[in-house]
Every structure is written in C-alpha cells, then in structure tokens.
Amino acid sequence: MFEFELTASDTPPTEQVRATAPLAVRMRPRTLHEVVGQSHLLLPGAPLRRLVEGGAAASVLLYGPPGTGKTTIARLLATVDTRHFVALSALSSGVKELREVINDARRRRDRHAQQTVLFIDEVHRFSKTQQDALLGAVEDRLVLLVAATTENPSFSVVSPLLSRLLVLQLQSLTEDEVRELLRRAVTDQRGLDSSVSLSAEAEDALVRLAAGDARTALTALEASADGVADTGGSVIDVPAVERAVSEATVRYDRQGDQHYDVISAFIKSIRGSDPDAALHYLARMLVAGEDPRFIARRLMVHASEDVGLADPTALQAAVAAAQTVEFIGMPEARLALAQATVHLAMAPKSNTVIVGIDEAMADVRAGAAGEVPAHLRYGRYKGAKELGNSVGYRYPHATPDGVLEQQYPPDALVGKDYYRPTQHGGERTLHERLAELRRAVRGG
C-alpha cells in the first residue's frame, strides 16, 4: 500500500483519476483486493478490515513508517456509503476546525443517524489541547476517529486519547510486496500500460531504494520510465534508474558483493578501532538506502563479538541504537547508529566472549557433556532425595563472601577454562576477579 495527500479537493475514490496524475496516485488501491501489504491487519474479521468494510465501530490509530498505507486505508474508508467521511491534516487544522467537524457530526447523527469518520493525518503534530478536544467525541462515538502517525504513539499521543484508540501498527512493505507493486504498475492500464519493461537488476535497485516505502518505489519507477521515454528506449535498466534518482550509490546491491564488501569493511573498521573509516562505511550504507535495522543488528553482534566485557556498555549502546531505529526511524536514527559506531570503534576490544562460547559449544558437540553433578540437580519433587538430587548442595549466600568451594561442571570438564579475559579495558579487573573466584570455587 502507499500514501497520498488527501484533501477536500481530492478526486473521490469512485471517479476516474486523471491520466496526468503521478503514478503513485494512479495506482492507489481502489478496493481491499488491490491492497498490498499489512495482511496481519486485513485478514477476514480483523478490526481494520471490518472498519473498511463498514462493520466496525472502534476508533483506531494507524502507526507506521511512510509509504505503508495509512492514508490509503483512510481513502478506502471514504467509500463506505453509510458513513460521512472527513479528512483533516494536523499540519493545517486547529481546534476551531475540529469543533466544526464535531458539531457537524452531531447534527448528522441526530438528524440522519449517520456516523462521521474523521481521519486525521500526522496526529502527532496536534498539541495536547488539540488532542484533548477529541476526547469527548471519541468517547461517545460521536465520531469514528482514524488517526495516522509515523511516530511512536506512546510518546506522541496523549494518554487519555491513546487509551480510547485501538493502536494498529503498519509494517514496512517486504521486498516481495514492493516487487509486486512495481510489476503491477508496469503492466496495469492505470500505470505504465507495458509501455516499458523493467530489467531484473533495475527492479532490484528500485526495491532497495524504496526501503519498504511503496510511494518511493513508484515515484522512482515513474522517473526512470520518463527518462527512458525521453531517449526513445523501452527498457528500464540500472543506468536508467541511476539517471532518474539523486543517489549515485544505487550500485550498492543489498544482495550482491557490494553489500557484503561494505558491511565487512564497516565491521572490520570498528574492530580495528578506526571510527573515521567506520563512519564512512556507515554513511555509504545509509545513503544507499540500506535497511537501518540490518546495521543495528550488526552493531549488536559486534558489541559482544569484538568488544565484549572489555567495555560492558558497548552492547547497551548498540541495543539503544536498535531501539532508536524502531521507535524513531530514519533519518533521525542515523545519529544513534553513528553514536554506537563511534562508541564501539573507540572501545577497548576483546573477543573472549565469542571464543568462550564457541569453545564450549564445540566441546558439547564433541560429546564432552557428562552428567550434571547430583548435588546440582533439581530436587523439589517426590523421590528426588532418594536419587541423590540436590543432596550435598552448598548455598553460597550462607557464607560471608557469597562464594565457596563446590563442583559445578560435569566431571569431564572440571578445570576447563572457557572464559579467559584479557588485560584490555574492563576485562583487566575481571581478569583479577576471575582468578580469585576460580581459586575459591575450585579450591587451592
């Protein structure tokens, strides 16, 4: 699904859209059958589907990134004949306009038994006063509110209003869903009507550039098609896409060598403690439209793999960046990604965490497991004591230091060291602490 500007002058959904309208407008879904994406919200019986079909009476908040269909869904709501549809934009409407809509909704309800659907785009831009003005009308179902926002509603919508809304989260379109839209737009009579063809490589480039935003994909497709038509061609290839969009980094293929080369260089620059090179590769990925969630995931892995306990805050920084990507999105999330990148690049390094867990897993796979010592086994069931379970277990907290001599690993692994801290950063202290713990636990 895709978004479009919805104003009082917009063409009603049942009328013919002009041929000169943008491709994204011409290809907007006219029915639920044409909607691509958000299947989790549009299954038979789901609240959003029932709302579009005229069967639900709950006010909803549509929360999701641009180009996922919030306004498209609102436009489909306008096709329900039994309801009066009003669309407002938080960018240009205030309390006065809200009160006018509410008063009109009251008249329609009392005189014609007609319910009003009020769609408010960018609702997070409403002030607290403006949002509070909606409370009574929503509470009494005087209006059926459909609000849309790209920001986390927990932070952008006042609690009293949020509690009265059913929050429905829209997801970025998958690559397959964007491909479906592109292919439909190329062949559909409302779209390019097969006047051009789209090469597989160009399709990949457009899918990547879209980053889950259908409107972006269709806009780039239209610009590419116009460029091909101007030169008398009939095939949209990668050079045609490059000429049509402002980013020259379209050759960064998320599924090809460039993708793996750049992310490899990114991680190796962090591992090598070069924050400047790391920021360069981060910038290349961001400008090319790489999924910021992918970058955030790699940072979280790197925080444990190459920094570990030499800087225990590294993983916290990476996780915080990932949460920022989810809560805020691009372009603001680039700052958190850059902050985490610099943090990890400048942090002391240690690979002892990955070495330790990989060695332990290798031993388990090789059969070096052994029986759990009897005194460590679960003993809270009838007959457990007769089997020796938990018999002889010593409770560490019963000692002043909270540490005592006791065997924890299976017999075959007694004395095996998996975690071997370095002298880097925070692990210097852990190195000394671990030696003391091992002497106390193992004896000697």
Side-chain angles (χ1 to χ4, degrees), residues 392-415:
Y393 172 68
R394 302 176 64 196
Y395 189 56
H397 293 297
T399 66
D401 296 331
V403 182
L404 49 75
E405 183 177 347
Q406 185 164 234
Q407 179 181 332
Y408 293 100
D411 292 343
L413 295 173
V414 170

Side-chain angles (χ1 to χ4, degrees), residues 226-308:
D226 289 343
V228 168
D230 289 343
T231 60
S234 61
V235 178
I236 300 175
D237 53 16
V238 171
V241 175
E242 287 184 324
R243 289 192 298 268
V245 298
S246 60
E247 305 295 358
T249 52
V250 68
R251 293 188 183 277
Y252 174 89
D253 181 1
R254 289 175 61 187
Q255 304 300 325
D257 293 341
Q258 279 287 309
H259 167 78
Y260 294 106
D261 287 346
V262 174
I263 192 63
S264 175
F266 175 62
I267 292 301
K268 288 174 180 175
S269 297
I270 296 176
R271 181 182 297 139
S273 301
D274 189 335
D276 302 300
L279 285 175
H280 164 76
Y281 292 117
L282 174 63
R284 283 176 63 166
M285 290 186 287
L286 293 177
V287 172
E290 180 62 83
D291 187 346
R293 295 170 298 181
F294 167 76
I295 301 172
R297 289 193 294 268
R298 294 309 307 165
L299 286 171
M300 287 190 287
V301 171
H302 172 75
S304 293
E305 180 179 356
D306 291 305
V307 178

Side-chain angles (χ1 to χ4, degrees), residues 1 38 64-68 170-179 181-182 203-218 220 252 254 285-294 325 329-330:
M1 296 185 295
Q38 316 311 330
T68 53
L170 281 69
Q171 305 292 339
S172 296
L173 272 64
T174 66
E175 292 189 352
D176 287 342
E177 289 166 348
V178 175
R179 289 181 195 281
L181 285 177
L182 289 171
E203 181 182 275
D204 289 341
L206 290 171
V207 169
R208 177 187 54 74
L209 287 170
D213 184 327
R215 185 178 182 87
T216 296
L218 294 175
Y252 174 89
R254 289 175 61 187
M285 290 186 287
L286 293 177
V287 172
E290 180 62 83
D291 187 346
R293 295 170 298 181
F294 167 76
V325 168
M330 295 296 289

